[in-house]
Amino acid sequence: MTATFDTDRMAAVIYGSEKLASRRREISAAVSRIPELHDSRPLPFMDRLEKVTEMTRKLAALNKHLPDIIDPNDYEEGLHLYHEVMGMEGHPLALHEVMFIPGLIGQGSDEQYEKWLGRARRREIIGCYAQTELGHGSNLRSLETTASYDPSTREFIIHTPQITALKWWPGALGKSSNYAIVVANLIIRDRNLGPHPFMVQLRDEETHRPLQGITVGDIGPKMAFNGGDNGFLGFDNYRIPLGNLLNRHARVEEDGIYVKPPHAKVGHSAMIRVRSHMATGQAWLLAHSLIIAVRYSAVRRQGFLEDKTREVKILDYQTQQYRLFPSIARAYAFIFCGFETIRLYDQLILDVNKHGNTSGMADLHALTSGLKSVVTYQTGEGIEQARMACGGHGYSMASYISEIYGVAIGGCTYEGENMVMLLQLARYLVKSVELIKNGKSKELGPMVAYLAEPDTQEKTPLELKDYVKLFQMMSKRQSWKATERYLKLVEGGVSRDVAWNKTAVELTRASRLHTRLYIMETFIRRVSSIEDMNLRMVLRDLVNVHVNYELLDCGIYLHDVSLLDSIKNQLYSSLHSLRPNALSLLDSFQFSDIQLRSVLGRRDGHVYENLFEWAKSSPLNVSDVLPSVDRYLRPMMEKAKL
Amino acid sequence: MTATFDTDRMAAVIYGSEKLASRRREISAAVSRIPELHDSRPLPFMDRLEKVTEMTRKLAALNKHLPDIIDPNDYEEGLHLYHEVMGMEGHPLALHEVMFIPGLIGQGSDEQYEKWLGRARRREIIGCYAQTELGHGSNLRSLETTASYDPSTREFIIHTPQITALKWWPGALGKSSNYAIVVANLIIRDRNLGPHPFMVQLRDEETHRPLQGITVGDIGPKMAFNGGDNGFLGFDNYRIPLGNLLNRHARVEEDGIYVKPPHAKVGHSAMIRVRSHMATGQAWLLAHSLIIAVRYSAVRRQGFLEDKTREVKILDYQTQQYRLFPSIARAYAFIFCGFETIRLYDQLILDVNKHGNTSGMADLHALTSGLKSVVTYQTGEGIEQARMACGGHGYSMASYISEIYGVAIGGCTYEGENMVMLLQLARYLVKSVELIKNGKSKELGPMVAYLAEPDTQEKTPLELKDYVKLFQMMSKRQSWKATERYLKLVEGGVSRDVAWNKTAVELTRASRLHTRLYIMETFIRRVSSIEDMNLRMVLRDLVNVHVNYELLDCGIYLHDVSLLDSIKNQLYSSLHSLRPNALSLLDSFQFSDIQLRSVLGRRDGHVYENLFEWAKSSPLNVSDVLPSVDRYLRPMMEKAKL
C-alpha cells in the first residue's frame, strides 16, 4: 500500500522543523558509518556488568567522535545522537548533562560556576543529582539527610541519621559519578531550614575510590535502565566547606546567618520543564514500539479474508488495527501536546523574568502534573498492546519491545508518582470549581474556563468541535461532582485531609478527564494549523481515530450512552481509513535500525532469517552441550539407568 | 489491624482442602530446612547462563530430596514443591512432567508406553513437546514441518522445508531435552494427512550432542522464563522408525495404509484442561504480586490523615486501595472459577468416556478460550498496578514484581493468542444467538440460556442477584448487537470472513462480557456455599468489591449510566470495609518468603535494611571501582584536565 503523503515532510512536523528532521537523517547516517559507535553485540545478550561496560565504552567513543558529527552546542542534535548511540538503557553520564550541569547552573552562584562549571562541561568531573531517599520519594519535606553548619570550621557536616535517609535511586550515582549535588536539610543552630542543594565530592579524583565518610554503591538490577548505575549514598558526618552550599538563591554567612531566597517557587519551574519534555519522550518510546509492531504485522501472515490463495497480513485484522492505531494517534497527540506545553512554559518564563509575573506557574504546574500521569500510563498501555500484537515473537527480547516498556513505564513513578500527580492537578480543579461557586469565575485561568460553562444537551458529534464540547461537559461534570463530594464531607464535619482521601478516586477521575481534554484540544489545534494538504488529510484521519477512541473510552461520563453506537461506527470506519497510511505515519519518525535495536522491527522486513541468526549467536548457544548438563543432568539420567 | 477470620481456614478454601493446605505448610517448612534447595543467591543477580545452571542444580538436588518431602504420586504436593524450590523462571524439566509425559500417555499406544514411559518417568531421558513453528503459532493447520513415510525402509523422514518451519519456542527444547514429541504433517504418497505427533530422539544419550540431521539450540533471552531454554529445532531429512508415530489414535501400517482416529475432537480436551488450570495459575501469580504490594503498603508511610504525629501507612489511601483491592477480589474469583471449570471438565470427561457424549465439549472449549483471555489480561493489569503501588521500589528487581509480571503476561500469548481466543468464544455466542433467532432456544447450553431472556428495566442493584441480572442484560445485548452487525453485513453481500473481520472488535467485546459474567457468577456461587461464617463474611465483602468494580468497569454497556453514581458509592465503601482484612486475605495464600523471593514482600516487614543488604551484595558492588571506569571514564577525565 502506498501512503498519501511524504514521510520527510511529516518528519519535519514531528520534529518541529525541516532542518532538524534532515539533520537527524544526516546524524543517523554518520553514526551508521562508525562501527565504534555501534553496540558490539545485542544488548539483551549482556548481563548488567557487561551493559554498563558497553555503555561506558560507547560514551568514550562518542566523546571522541561527537564534534565531527554534530554541533556540540545544539541540544536537539545532541539528544538525537545520544539516543542513536547510547540507546535507552541508561549510561554513566545519564545525569551529568541533564541534571548535574543544569542543577549547578540553576542553583549555583557565579563564583561557583567558576569553580565547577567549566570542569563539569569538559568532563574533568562527572556528576549526578542526589535527592530521593530510601524511605522518602515524592515528599521533599520528609527528606532526612542533614547538613549541619559548624561555624567553628566554616563547614557543613553532611550526615545520614538512619537507614531510611540513604540517598537511593539517583542515576549514575552508584559507580560513575565523582561529584553529586546532594539535597539535604540545612541545619543551623538546631534549626531546620529545609532542603538545600550542596556540591559534594564523593570519590577521589585520581583513584576514583569513595572518600572517607562516604558509602556509595549501585542499588542493584531494575526492571530496565540496567546499563545505568542508579546508586545509594550515605554520609558519616562528612564535612564540606561553606562554599559548597549552592547559593544562587539562599546562602549562609560565615557566622551562620541564613539569607533567604527572594521567592521560593523557583523550584517548580524545573519540574514543569522536565514533565513537559516527558510527553515528547514518552511519545517517542510509544512510536518505537508501534513501528516494530506495525512493520512486523505487515510481514506476518495468518488466515484468510477475501483472497483465498494467500494468507493475509495480520495488520488487516480489525482487532490488530484496534490495538495499534489509537496508539499511533496518541503518539502524535503527545508530541504536539508536548510542543504546546513547552511553548506555554517558555512564555511563562518570559513573563516571570520580564514582569515578575508568576501567576501562570500554578496553572502550568497543575497541568503538567496531570499530563505526565496520563501520558506515561497510556504510553505503557500502548507499548504492551504493541508487544502482544506481535504474538510470541513480541515476547522475545529480539523484539526489544519489553525493554522499551520497562523504560517507558518507569515514567509512571519517577518525577512524581502518578496518583500523587493526579491529586495535585485535582487540587487545582477543586480550587477552580470553588472560585466559580463563589462567583469568581473571572479569576479562572483560560484552561479551566470551561468549568463554568452551562451543561448542554448531548448530541451525536459531527464535527471535531462537537467532540471537544462533549469532552468539556464530561470533564466539567466530573470536576464538579468530585468537588461537591469533597465539600459535602467537609461541611459534614470530616477533616479536610480525610475528606480529600475519601474523594481521592473521584478526584483522579476528574484530573484524567481534564488532561485528556487538553491533549485532544492541542492535537486538533496543531493539525488544523498544518498547511501541507496531504499531511493535514492523513493527520485528520488520525484525529478521527483519536476523538472517537477517547470518547468511547470515557463513555461512562456521558449522560446518554446511546451516542456510543455511532461513535463506534465512526471509530471502526476511521481505523479502516487509516490502514493505507499506518506504516508511513510511523516511518515518518525515521528511527534507524541502529536505534530501534529490534529484529522484528527491521526496515527491510527480513524478520525470520534474522531471528534465527540472532538466536544462534545468543550466549547459550556458544556450546552444544551446556556445562550444567554435564554437571547435573547427565549424571541424573545415567543414575536412573542403573 | 486484626483480621476477622482465621488464615489457615481460608487457606483450606483457597487450596480446596484442609489437608492440602496443611501439607503445603509442611512442605514449605521442610524446604526451609534444606539449604541445598534454596537459591544460592538472588536470581535477579544472575545472567541467563547462571540462571539455567542454578535451575539445573536445584533440579538435581530436588530429585534427591523429593521422596523425603512429598508423596511422589501426589500431583498437588509436587506442584507446590516445584513452585517453592524452582520458582517461576522456568527450568530444564519444565515440559517433561506437564507436556512430554502427558503427551505420551494421551497419544501413545500401550506398546509405546512400554518403550518410553518408564524411561521418561525415571528420567533416563528428558523430553519436551515441539509444535509451534517460527512462522506459525495459533493455527495448527499451517504448520510446515513434514514427516513423509518411506515404505521401503519403514521410516518417516522428518524435514524442515524452509526457515519459517523451524520449531520455535518449545520449553526445555534448546539445551536440555534429548527427546521430543514433534508435531509434523504426516505425508503418505504425497498426500498430506495433517499434523501428527512423533517421538523423536534429538541428542545422543551418552554425549548429549545433537544427532546428525538435527539443528537445535536456544532461542535467546525473553521477557521472562530466562531460567528455561525455549528452543529452536530443524530437521534435515531426519529418519525415524515407523514405530515412532504416536499411534493411540491414528496409525500407519507398514505398507503405508493410514488408519484414521475414531473421533477427531480429542485434541480439544487437553487444551481445555490447560486453559482451566491457567485461571488458577494466573490467580496465584496475581496473589504473589498483591501480597508484596499490600505488605509493603503497610510498611511504607507517607503523609498525614487524622493523626498528625505520625505519617500514615500508604495502604490507608483510597487510591492505593482502589489499585489493589479489586485485584484481591479477582485473584479469589479466578481461583474459584478455575475450580468450577475443572469440575465441569471432569464431568465432561466422564460423559465422554461413559456415554460417548461429546456435546459439552464445544461449550466448554468456547468458555475456556474466553476465560484464558480475560484472566490473563486482568492478571497482568493487576500485577502492574501492584508494582506501581510500590512506587520506586516496585521498579527494583528487589520487589520481584516485574519478574512476576513477565511470567504472567506471557499467558496472554501462549496457549492461544488472546484475540484469537476471544473470537473463538464469539463464534459460539453468535451461533447461540442464531439459534434463538431461529426459534431453537431450547438447544442452548445452560451457560448461554440468558441470551434468550427478555430485556428488563435497569434499576439500582441491591442484592447480588441484581448485579448478575444487570450483567446478563449487558452481555446479552452486546452478543445480539455484534451478531446482528455481522449478519447484516453478510445479508448485504459481504463474504462471511470479511463480515466477521469487520465485526471483530464488537465480537471480542461480547466475549469479554460473557466471560466476566461467568467469573462473577461462579465467584458468588462459591462464596455462598461456604459454611464458616467468618470466612463467608469477609468473602462477601470481597464479592461486594468485585461486583461493583466490574459493573463500573463495564458501565458503557448499561442503558442507564446514572446507576453508576450509586455503584461508585458502594464500591468506595466496600474498599473501606475490606481494609482491615486485606492483608490477611493475602496471607491466607501462605506463600513462604522463599517462594516470594521479594525483599519488599518479606513477612517480617524489615524492608529497608534488607533492601540495603540486597543492593550491597549485587554484582556491581563487588569492587569499589568498576574496570570500565578505569578503562574508559578515568582516561576521559584525565585527558580533559590537560
Side-chain angles (χ1 to χ4, degrees):
Chain A
M1 300 199 190
T2 13
T4 59
F5 67 96
D6 180 78
T7 55
D8 280 358
R9 286 183 166 233
M10 189 65 92
V13 172
I14 291 172
Y15 295 109
S17 76
E18 289 271 9
K19 178 165 170 286
L20 179 58
S22 88
R23 281 296 294 141
R24 284 175 57 96
R25 292 191 289 273
E26 288 163 17
I27 293 165
S28 296
V31 168
S32 76
R33 289 187 298 264
I34 307 172
E36 201 182 355
L37 297 180
H38 306 173
D39 298 347
S40 52
R41 60 202 172 102
L43 298 178
F45 294 174
M46 301 179 190
D47 67 19
R48 274 203 74 206
L49 197 58
E50 290 167 332
K51 277 188 186 176
V52 172
T53 304
E54 171 76 353
M55 295 303 172
T56 317
R57 179 192 72 71
K58 286 194 293 182
L59 272 178
L62 198 50
N63 211 39
K64 188 172 76 182
H65 291 287
L66 186 140
D68 302 331
I69 307 175
I70 62 164
D71 170 2
N73 297 313
D74 187 314
Y75 173 80
E76 296 288 344
E77 291 194 3
L79 196 65
H80 178 54
L81 179 60
Y82 266 80
H83 283 167
E84 189 89 9
V85 177
M86 301 308 300
M88 55 179 74
E89 300 191 35
H91 60 78
L93 281 168
L95 277 266
H96 186 75
E97 305 285 345
V98 299
M99 290 288 285
F100 182 67
I101 292 178
L104 179 56
I105 293 173
Q107 302 175 316
S109 63
D110 293 351
E111 201 177 312
Q112 289 170 328
Y113 291 179
E114 192 71 33
K115 197 164 172 188
W116 293 301
L117 195 54
R119 300 195 71 204
R121 283 189 167 143
R122 287 189 300 276
R123 300 186 175 173
E124 289 179 27
I125 59 175
I126 297 175
C128 64
Y129 197 95
Q131 178 174 299
T132 304
E133 295 177 356
L134 182 55
H136 311 279
S138 305
N139 191 358
L140 210 63
R141 280 171 304 175
S142 29
L143 293 180
E144 294 179 283
T145 303
T146 52
S148 312
Y149 185 61
D150 177 354
S152 70
T153 60
R154 294 173 200 156
E155 288 173 322
F156 295 106
I157 305 161
I158 317 258
H159 191 62
T160 303
Q162 56 179 323
I163 197 160
T164 49
L166 283 169
K167 293 295 172 188
W168 202 271
W169 278 109
L173 166 63
K175 312 303 286 190
S176 322
S177 297
N178 50 11
Y179 280 76
I181 297 175
V182 173
V183 179
N185 287 297
L186 172 61
I187 314 278
I188 302 180
R189 286 186 214 93
D190 296 333
R191 201 170 136 233
N192 187 340
L193 295 154
H196 285 71
F198 298 85
M199 176 65 74
V200 183
Q201 183 178 352
L202 306 177
R203 290 170 178 268
D204 182 89
E205 285 195 31
E206 295 303 313
T207 64
H208 204 72
R209 296 208 164 273
L211 296 171
Q212 184 76 29
I214 300 273
T215 302
V216 66
D218 179 272
I219 60 162
K222 297 143 292 187
M223 189 170 179
F225 291 106
N226 283 309
D229 54 317
N230 300 67
F232 58 76
L233 173 63
F235 300 97
D236 181 11
N237 292 299
Y238 183 74
R239 286 175 173 263
I240 56 171
L242 172 59
N244 283 29
L245 166 66
L246 294 181
N247 57 12
R248 172 155 299 263
H249 305 298
R251 59 194 168 79
V252 174
E253 297 185 347
E254 292 194 352
D255 56 2
I257 302 289
Y258 177 69
V259 183
K260 266 199 282 194
H263 50 90
K265 280 276 177 184
V266 178
H268 269 355
S269 100
M271 281 194 284
I272 294 173
R273 186 176 55 84
V274 171
R275 287 176 195 157
S276 308
H277 279 289
M278 275 181 80
T280 323
Q282 292 270 325
W284 286 344
L285 294 172
L286 182 53
H288 260 84
S289 69
L290 289 167
I291 192 160
I292 296 166
V294 169
R295 282 186 178 162
Y296 177 65
S297 299
V299 168
R300 183 78 169 189
R301 289 172 177 273
Q302 190 171 302
F304 298 91
L305 286 174
E306 214 99 41
D307 178 357
K308 305 298 175 197
T309 64
R310 188 166 189 201
E311 289 193 299
V312 295
K313 295 175 177 177
I314 58 174
L315 192 56
D316 290 320
Y317 287 112
Q318 191 189 53
T319 47
Q320 192 81 347
Q321 295 170 4
Y322 186 74
R323 283 185 133 166
L324 298 170
F325 294 178
S327 286
I328 303 179
R330 282 179 174 174
Y332 273 84
F334 296 164
I335 282 174
F336 296 152
C337 195
F339 280 158
E340 172 136 344
T341 312
I342 290 164
R343 202 183 54 72
L344 288 172
Y345 171 76
D346 290 342
Q347 185 58 47
L348 186 76
I349 294 297
L350 282 179
D351 287 1
V352 172
N353 293 346
K354 266 196 192 156
H355 319 106
N357 176 4
T358 60
S359 69
M361 199 76 100
D363 292 37
L364 200 60
H365 180 244
L367 181 74
T368 51
S369 302
L371 186 62
K372 180 267 185 207
S373 170
V374 168
V375 165
T376 53
Y377 183 75
Q378 293 187 344
T379 293
E381 200 177 40
I383 295 173
E384 273 298 76
Q385 284 299 321
R387 187 183 60 70
M388 289 191 254
C390 298
H393 297 322
Y395 195 77
S396 165
M397 290 304 298
S399 81
Y400 206 62
I401 303 181
S402 66
E403 191 68 44
I404 302 171
Y405 177 68
V407 170
I409 204 71
C412 290
T413 307
Y414 66 70
E415 293 300 329
E417 200 281 322
N418 275 359
M419 288 298 148
V420 176
M421 292 298 95
L422 290 171
L423 289 171
Q424 277 184 7
L425 171 54
R427 291 249 174 238
Y428 171 75
L429 295 173
V430 167
K431 269 188 205 160
S432 303
V433 172
E434 283 184 300
L435 279 180
I436 301 165
K437 285 169 76 87
N438 296 328
K440 298 180 184 166
S441 302
K442 284 183 185 158
E443 295 177 25
L444 291 175
M447 286 178 197
V448 282
Y450 74 92
L451 293 176
E453 295 282 316
D455 231 7
T456 52
Q457 177 76 31
E458 291 178 350
K459 56 171 198 213
T460 305
L462 299 171
E463 297 175 52
L464 292 178
K465 65 175 171 46
D466 302 333
Y467 285 89
V468 171
K469 191 81 200 164
L470 272 174
F471 238 86
Q472 283 181 337
M473 288 305 112
M474 287 153 63
S475 176
K476 184 204 74 169
R477 289 196 295 253
Q478 182 61 26
S479 275
W480 277 80
K481 213 180 249 189
T483 304
E484 286 180 339
R485 188 185 182 95
Y486 164 69
L487 292 176
K488 198 173 153 198
L489 286 165
V490 172
E491 282 154 21
V494 177
S495 81
R496 286 194 169 259
D497 286 341
V498 173
W500 187 260
N501 188 35
K502 280 181 184 291
T503 323
V505 173
E506 288 297 307
L507 289 164
T508 61
R509 288 171 178 269
S511 295
R512 279 193 207 92
L513 283 167
H514 175 74
T515 307
R516 291 171 81 161
L517 167 64
Y518 173 70
I519 294 170
M520 181 184 285
E521 283 188 285
T522 52
F523 191 13
I524 293 172
R525 198 153 48 226
R526 178 76 185 96
V527 169
S528 320
S529 76
I530 286 171
E531 287 174 14
D532 181 319
M533 272 303 290
N534 290 330
L535 299 188
R536 198 160 80 211
M537 272 174 60
V538 61
L539 287 173
R540 182 57 206 258
D541 284 346
L542 205 54
V543 168
N544 279 338
V545 170
H546 188 72
V547 294
N548 287 302
Y549 189 85
E550 290 294 300
L551 194 52
L552 182 55
D553 202 36
C554 299
I556 58 163
Y557 300 101
L558 285 170
H559 276 161
D560 178 7
V561 272
S562 73
L563 292 186
L564 293 177
D565 284 334
S566 56
I567 300 294
K568 283 180 184 175
N569 287 333
Q570 282 162 227
L571 176 59
Y572 300 138
S573 98
S574 70
L575 294 175
H576 187 73
S577 307
L578 198 67
R579 168 69 181 89
N581 282 314
L583 185 54
S584 297
L585 278 165
L586 293 164
D587 278 337
S588 300
F589 281 85
Q590 306 194 320
F591 298 128
S592 69
D593 279 355
I594 286 179
Q595 191 179 351
L596 281 178
R597 293 173 167 81
S598 169
V599 182
L600 289 198
R602 293 170 62 96
R603 177 173 286 266
D604 66 13
H606 296 156
V607 168
Y608 296 116
E609 52 275 52
N610 284 291
L611 271 174
F612 192 31
E613 290 308 313
W614 184 88
K616 279 193 287 187
S617 67
S618 77
L620 257 62
N621 292 324
V622 170
S623 61
D624 267 336
V625 182
L626 291 183
S628 57
V629 170
D630 284 335
R631 182 148 175 210
Y632 300 110
L633 281 193
R634 285 182 49 222
M636 187 182 84
M637 291 190 275
E638 289 307 320
K639 211 177 142 196
K641 288 179 191 165
L642 299 179
Chain B
M1 298 195 191
T2 14
T4 59
F5 66 96
D6 181 78
T7 55
D8 280 357
R9 285 183 164 230
M10 189 65 91
V13 173
I14 291 173
Y15 296 108
S17 77
E18 288 272 6
K19 179 167 169 284
L20 179 58
S22 89
R23 279 296 293 140
R24 284 176 56 98
R25 292 191 289 274
E26 288 163 16
I27 293 165
S28 296
V31 169
S32 77
R33 288 186 299 263
I34 306 171
E36 201 181 356
L37 297 180
H38 307 172
D39 298 345
S40 53
R41 59 202 173 102
L43 298 178
F45 295 173
M46 300 180 190
D47 67 19
R48 272 203 76 207
L49 197 58
E50 290 167 332
K51 276 189 186 175
V52 172
T53 304
E54 171 75 355
M55 296 303 172
T56 318
R57 178 192 72 73
K58 286 194 292 182
L59 272 178
L62 198 51
N63 212 39
K64 187 171 78 181
H65 291 287
L66 187 140
D68 301 332
I69 307 176
I70 62 164
D71 170 0
N73 298 315
D74 188 312
Y75 174 80
E76 296 288 345
E77 290 194 4
L79 196 64
H80 177 55
L81 179 60
Y82 266 80
H83 282 168
E84 189 89 7
V85 176
M86 300 309 299
M88 54 180 73
E89 299 191 36
H91 61 78
L93 282 168
L95 278 266
H96 186 76
E97 305 284 345
V98 298
M99 291 286 287
F100 181 68
I101 291 178
L104 179 57
I105 293 174
Q107 303 175 315
S109 63
D110 293 351
E111 203 178 310
Q112 289 171 327
Y113 290 179
E114 191 71 33
K115 195 163 174 194
W116 293 302
L117 194 54
R119 297 196 73 206
R121 282 190 167 143
R122 287 189 301 276
R123 299 187 176 173
E124 288 179 26
I125 59 175
I126 297 175
C128 64
Y129 197 93
Q131 177 174 299
T132 303
E133 295 176 357
L134 183 54
H136 311 280
S138 305
N139 192 357
L140 210 62
R141 281 171 304 174
S142 31
L143 292 180
E144 295 180 283
T145 303
T146 52
S148 311
Y149 184 60
D150 177 355
S152 70
T153 59
R154 293 172 200 157
E155 287 173 321
F156 295 105
I157 305 163
I158 316 259
H159 191 61
T160 303
Q162 57 179 326
I163 197 161
T164 48
L166 283 169
K167 294 294 173 189
W168 201 272
W169 279 110
L173 167 62
K175 312 303 285 188
S176 321
S177 296
N178 50 10
Y179 280 76
I181 296 175
V182 172
V183 179
N185 287 297
L186 173 61
I187 314 278
I188 302 179
R189 286 185 214 94
D190 296 330
R191 195 165 143 240
N192 187 341
L193 294 153
H196 284 72
F198 298 85
M199 176 65 73
V200 183
Q201 183 176 352
L202 306 177
R203 291 170 177 268
D204 182 89
E205 286 196 30
E206 295 302 315
T207 66
H208 204 70
R209 296 206 164 274
L211 296 171
Q212 184 76 29
I214 300 274
T215 302
V216 65
D218 179 271
I219 60 162
K222 297 142 293 185
M223 190 169 178
F225 292 107
N226 283 309
D229 54 319
N230 300 68
F232 58 77
L233 173 62
F235 299 97
D236 180 11
N237 291 300
Y238 184 74
R239 287 174 172 265
I240 57 169
L242 172 60
N244 283 28
L245 166 67
L246 294 181
N247 58 10
R248 171 153 300 261
H249 306 299
R251 62 194 165 81
V252 173
E253 297 185 347
E254 291 193 355
D255 55 1
I257 300 289
Y258 177 69
V259 184
K260 267 199 282 196
H263 50 88
K265 280 277 178 188
V266 177
H268 270 355
S269 100
M271 282 195 282
I272 295 173
R273 186 176 55 85
V274 171
R275 288 178 194 156
S276 309
H277 278 290
M278 274 180 81
T280 323
Q282 291 271 325
W284 285 344
L285 293 172
L286 182 53
H288 260 85
S289 69
L290 289 167
I291 193 162
I292 296 167
V294 169
R295 280 185 180 162
Y296 177 65
S297 300
V299 168
R300 182 79 167 189
R301 289 173 177 271
Q302 190 171 303
F304 298 91
L305 286 174
E306 214 98 42
D307 179 355
K308 305 297 175 197
T309 64
R310 189 166 189 201
E311 289 193 299
V312 293
K313 296 174 178 178
I314 59 175
L315 192 57
D316 289 321
Y317 287 110
Q318 191 190 52
T319 47
Q320 193 80 348
Q321 296 170 4
Y322 185 74
R323 285 186 131 167
L324 298 170
F325 295 177
S327 287
I328 302 178
R330 283 179 173 173
Y332 274 84
F334 297 163
I335 282 174
F336 296 152
C337 195
F339 281 157
E340 172 135 344
T341 312
I342 290 164
R343 201 184 52 72
L344 288 172
Y345 170 76
D346 289 342
Q347 185 59 47
L348 186 75
I349 293 297
L350 281 180
D351 286 0
V352 173
N353 293 346
K354 265 195 191 156
H355 320 104
N357 176 4
T358 59
S359 68
M361 197 76 97
D363 292 38
L364 200 60
H365 181 245
L367 180 75
T368 52
S369 301
L371 185 63
K372 180 267 186 205
S373 172
V374 168
V375 166
T376 53
Y377 183 76
Q378 293 186 345
T379 293
E381 199 177 41
I383 294 172
E384 272 299 77
Q385 283 299 320
R387 187 184 58 70
M388 290 192 253
C390 297
H393 297 322
Y395 194 78
S396 165
M397 290 303 299
S399 80
Y400 206 62
I401 302 181
S402 64
E403 191 68 43
I404 302 171
Y405 177 68
V407 170
I409 204 72
C412 290
T413 307
Y414 67 68
E415 293 301 329
E417 200 282 321
N418 275 359
M419 289 298 147
V420 176
M421 292 297 96
L422 289 172
L423 290 171
Q424 277 185 7
L425 171 54
R427 292 248 174 241
Y428 171 74
L429 295 174
V430 167
K431 269 188 205 161
S432 302
V433 172
E434 284 185 299
L435 280 179
I436 302 165
K437 285 169 77 86
N438 297 329
K440 299 179 182 167
S441 303
K442 281 182 187 161
E443 295 177 23
L444 291 174
M447 285 178 196
V448 282
Y450 74 91
L451 293 176
E453 295 282 316
D455 232 8
T456 51
Q457 177 75 34
E458 291 178 349
K459 55 171 199 208
T460 304
L462 299 171
E463 295 175 53
L464 291 178
K465 66 176 170 46
D466 303 332
Y467 286 88
V468 171
K469 190 83 200 161
L470 272 174
F471 237 86
Q472 283 181 338
M473 288 304 112
M474 287 154 61
S475 176
K476 184 204 75 168
R477 290 196 297 251
Q478 182 61 26
S479 275
W480 277 78
K481 213 180 252 189
T483 303
E484 287 181 337
R485 187 185 183 94
Y486 164 68
L487 293 176
K488 199 175 152 196
L489 286 165
V490 172
E491 282 154 21
V494 177
S495 82
R496 285 194 169 259
D497 285 341
V498 173
W500 186 260
N501 189 34
K502 280 181 185 290
T503 323
V505 173
E506 287 298 305
L507 289 164
T508 59
R509 288 171 178 269
S511 295
R512 279 192 207 94
L513 283 167
H514 175 73
T515 308
R516 292 171 81 160
L517 166 64
Y518 173 71
I519 294 169
M520 183 185 283
E521 283 187 286
T522 51
F523 190 15
I524 292 172
R525 197 152 49 226
R526 179 74 186 96
V527 169
S528 318
S529 76
I530 286 171
E531 287 174 14
D532 181 319
M533 270 304 289
N534 290 329
L535 299 189
R536 197 160 81 211
M537 271 174 61
V538 62
L539 287 173
R540 182 57 207 259
D541 284 346
L542 206 54
V543 167
N544 279 337
V545 170
H546 188 72
V547 293
N548 287 301
Y549 189 85
E550 290 293 301
L551 194 52
L552 183 55
D553 203 35
C554 300
I556 58 163
Y557 301 100
L558 285 170
H559 276 161
D560 178 8
V561 270
S562 75
L563 292 186
L564 294 177
D565 284 335
S566 58
I567 300 294
K568 283 180 185 177
N569 286 335
Q570 281 161 228
L571 175 59
Y572 301 138
S573 97
S574 70
L575 294 175
H576 187 75
S577 308
L578 199 68
R579 168 69 180 91
N581 282 314
L583 185 55
S584 297
L585 278 166
L586 294 164
D587 277 338
S588 300
F589 281 84
Q590 305 193 321
F591 298 128
S592 69
D593 280 354
I594 286 179
Q595 191 178 351
L596 281 178
R597 293 174 167 81
S598 170
V599 182
L600 290 198
R602 293 169 63 95
R603 176 174 287 268
D604 67 13
H606 296 155
V607 168
Y608 296 116
E609 52 274 50
N610 283 292
L611 270 174
F612 192 31
E613 290 309 313
W614 184 87
K616 280 193 286 187
S617 66
S618 78
L620 258 62
N621 293 324
V622 169
S623 61
D624 267 336
V625 181
L626 292 183
S628 58
V629 170
D630 284 334
R631 183 149 174 209
Y632 301 110
L633 281 193
R634 283 182 49 221
M636 186 181 86
M637 291 190 273
E638 289 306 321
K639 211 177 141 197
K641 287 180 189 163
L642 298 180

